[in-house]
Amino acid sequence: MSLRIGTRGSALALAQTNKVVGMLADRGIEAEIITITTEGDTATNVPLHAIGGQGVFVRALDDAILRGEIDAAVHSMKDIPAARPAGLVCCAVLERDSPADFLAHECPLDAVRIIGSSSTRRCAQLLRDAPALEVKQLRGNVDTRLRKLREGQYDAIVLAEAGLQRLGIRLAGEPLPTDRFVPSPNQGTVAVVCRDDPAVAGALAALDHAPTRLDVEIERAVMEEVGGGCFTPQGIYCRDGDLIAEVLALDGSRWERIERHVATVGEARECGQALRRQAGGLIREAYAALGIKP
């Protein structure tokens, strides 16, 4: 069998896709990489929430699968939105890399005043931890973000540690603790999506890591029940069933949080429903402030 694997063209996306292709080759399956440009890659001068959220990185690849141009696509799983088109399946979830955010800075930590990030979650968590900080918008691929840091446009920037590891990049700075800076749901995880075809899905299923899949399915169940997408600052992280989930005000001044052990996706949905009841006011505030209709 030979598969056509779609990906975005960024260095990180290609690194992740090459890893998947290598894992397939180890199992005797040939694969061709096809690069597809997404709206999220071209509209880098506006915040993500203004162009539709994280799903902008996924839609073009979904469409290419459904049109039959590719058989499957490789994604950072945190980019995959809760609502999915019919005809697609998540056929493999790779073993999770670091879920943590990484604070990159070349000046002393106590001299950091301006931090770059385009994530409402990261912004809110940073401001909760240090309200005097200024968090400025920062979009673009890893190279672009690092260039802006080195040019002095920011004292520090926040990146996913897993992405740096996959690219083999070592930076001055430190990972942020996941209990205080709760990651985005599925952060650090690579997923393979394919058309709902048993032959294709079966070939790719050999790459699936069951313990990671359960943790990320718990996170996604909470995310789906809470709602809010990437517009509402929310961190949801599960490790071996130990779940932390929180929703924050955009300025980090208030938050609602749940910590508990979860054994099933059903229990995760109950947690998500409880958190949504607790955090409903914060979610409505975020939508109003960002000018987004619920």
Side-chain angles (χ1 to χ4, degrees), residues 5-6 13 25-26 39 52 70 76 116 154 160 171 206 240 255 281:
I5 310 292
D26 291 342
E39 185 181 0
I70 56 176
S76 293
Y154 309 87
L171 297 175
D240 299 328
W255 61 90

Side-chain angles (χ1 to χ4, degrees), residues 27-99:
R27 291 161 174 81
I29 300 171
E30 295 182 2
E32 172 192 4
I33 296 176
I34 296 175
T35 303
I36 294 173
T37 300
T38 74
E39 185 181 0
D41 296 309
T42 55
T44 59
N45 59 340
V46 292
L48 277 179
H49 65 77
I51 54 172
Q54 294 296 95
V56 298
F57 295 121
V58 176
R59 282 195 295 265
L61 290 159
D62 284 346
D63 291 345
I65 295 172
L66 294 172
R67 288 194 301 265
E69 296 168 7
I70 56 176
D71 300 304
V74 177
H75 298 289
S76 293
M77 196 168 184
K78 70 175 183 177
D79 290 341
I80 300 176
R84 305 296 291 129
L88 300 179
V89 293
C90 179
C91 51
V93 177
L94 275 55
E95 184 173 3
R96 191 174 216 158
D97 298 314
S98 169

Side-chain angles (χ1 to χ4, degrees), residues 134-145:
E134 180 182 357
V135 184
K136 294 173 61 176
Q137 279 289 320
L138 173 64
R139 294 242 1 253
N141 60 32
V142 173
D143 287 343
T144 298
R145 298 182 194 201

